[in-house]
Amino acid sequence: MHPLITPEALADALSARPATVVLDVRWRLGGPPGRQDYEVSHVPGAVYLDLDTELSAPPGVGGRHPLPEPERLQEVLRRAGVREGGQVVAYDAGDGSVAARVWWLLRWAGFGEVAVLDGGFAAWEAAGLPVTDEVPSELAGDGLGDVVVRSGQMPVLDADGAAALARDGVLLDARAAARYRGETEPVDPKAGHVPGALNAPSAGHVGADGRWLGAEELASRFAGLGVSDGVAVGAYCGSGVTASSVVLALEVAGVTSAEKPAALYAGSWSNWCALDREVATGG
């Protein structure tokens, strides 16, 4: 399954393939909760999952959005109706970064048939496709999902691994340029970046219309950052969420593949700061 799907293709899939599960993962840094948007309007049949409480472990030294325990993730996905042999499409309200975290998380869990809705909920509405405020009846209690989480199927970096990759390969920082340079830090206790990391803001993966750039444009962008065949590459951000979109973008660009994906520093800057590691600033 291609990691991106258009609104029209998703509409067709929902008609032709009942085992398609749509996950609404709208979320904002600092709130208000994305569930409020979901309750007003969403893709018909979509199930809302909360990034903070259902798709991450509790915050701590591991970061603000540590990877969930496999058993907990399996419970959440089964409640949402995810089945072996089915497919999942995730969407958010922004540049696809939160949905990309879900794409990455399911791939990490060993579930390959997962995609991000290109352009998110805004693209679905712009295409004139139906929306609803009706919440699916207690899918959560029906035990319809039977997915088995087989964690560890995507490469994950810890702080030492991130430091080594920044030195010996390419480590991409998905945060906005001002945060990367250390000019501002609205969330974490230190400002700056992992020494040796290069800046690749996640917002640069999409165009003005909110759709993802094409493979050639993305490949050119990464080539300009020194990412090429044979060079080890990984990504991080503030808490491991938006960096997932870098992993996805590298695959869309053809720089990496489903068989050889880029690595994710899951704890990201929040973990780096918690460990009091060396900080670099500037461009």
Side-chain angles (χ1 to χ4, degrees):
M1 187 176 189
H2 191 276
L4 296 175
I5 187 170
T6 66
E8 294 80 7
L10 174 57
D12 290 342
L14 290 173
S15 298
R17 193 170 182 183
T20 299
V21 172
V22 181
L23 300 179
D24 184 318
V25 292
R26 283 178 280 182
W27 175 85
R28 300 179 187 86
L29 183 63
R35 186 179 294 275
Q36 295 179 5
D37 295 334
Y38 170 80
E39 291 173 349
V40 171
S41 182
H42 54 265
V43 174
V47 178
Y48 183 80
L49 292 182
D50 182 70
L51 173 67
D52 293 321
T53 62
E54 295 178 297
L55 298 172
S56 305
V61 175
R64 284 184 282 110
H65 290 111
L67 299 184
E69 291 296 326
E71 296 80 4
R72 168 62 172 160
L73 179 61
Q74 180 170 288
E75 175 189 342
V76 167
L77 295 177
R78 286 186 174 187
R79 283 208 317 267
V82 179
R83 297 187 61 83
E84 294 287 310
Q87 63 182 24
V88 173
V89 176
Y91 70 85
D92 57 33
D95 60 8
S97 292
V98 182
R101 166 63 178 249
V102 178
W103 169 85
W104 184 93
L105 196 58
L106 266 71
R107 289 272 298 272
W108 172 81
F111 189 89
E113 294 296 304
V114 57
V116 168
L117 179 60
D118 191 6
F121 187 63
W124 179 272
E125 288 189 300
L129 293 165
V131 298
T132 184
D133 62 358
E134 183 178 347
V135 176
S137 61
E138 285 304 312
L139 192 63
D142 291 342
L144 295 179
D146 64 1
V147 65
V148 176
V149 168
R150 304 171 180 88
S151 60
Q153 304 305 307
M154 292 285 275
V156 178
L157 299 171
D158 60 11
D160 287 341
L165 186 59
R167 182 181 64 247
D168 302 327
V170 177
L171 180 66
L172 299 175
D173 184 322
R175 297 173 301 161
R179 290 183 71 186
Y180 167 82
R181 292 191 296 263
E183 296 167 4
T184 182
E185 180 45 65
V187 185
D188 294 306
K190 291 184 177 183
H193 59 267
V194 174
L198 303 176
N199 195 208
S202 60
H205 302 150
V206 298
D209 60 356
R211 298 292 187 100
W212 284 65
L213 301 179
E216 290 186 4
E217 290 176 278
L218 288 171
S220 176
R221 182 179 188 231
F222 289 124
L225 291 165
V227 181
S228 59
D229 289 343
V231 175
V233 59
Y236 79 98
C237 56
S239 66
V241 175
T242 57
S244 302
S245 71
V246 177
V247 177
L248 189 154
L250 286 162
E251 189 167 312
V252 171
V255 177
T256 62
S257 66
E259 295 72 29
K260 293 185 177 180
L264 177 72
Y265 177 18
S268 283
W269 189 244
S270 54
N271 169 248
W272 189 268
C273 291
L275 297 175
D276 199 25
R277 302 287 295 243
E278 179 186 357
V279 170
T281 56

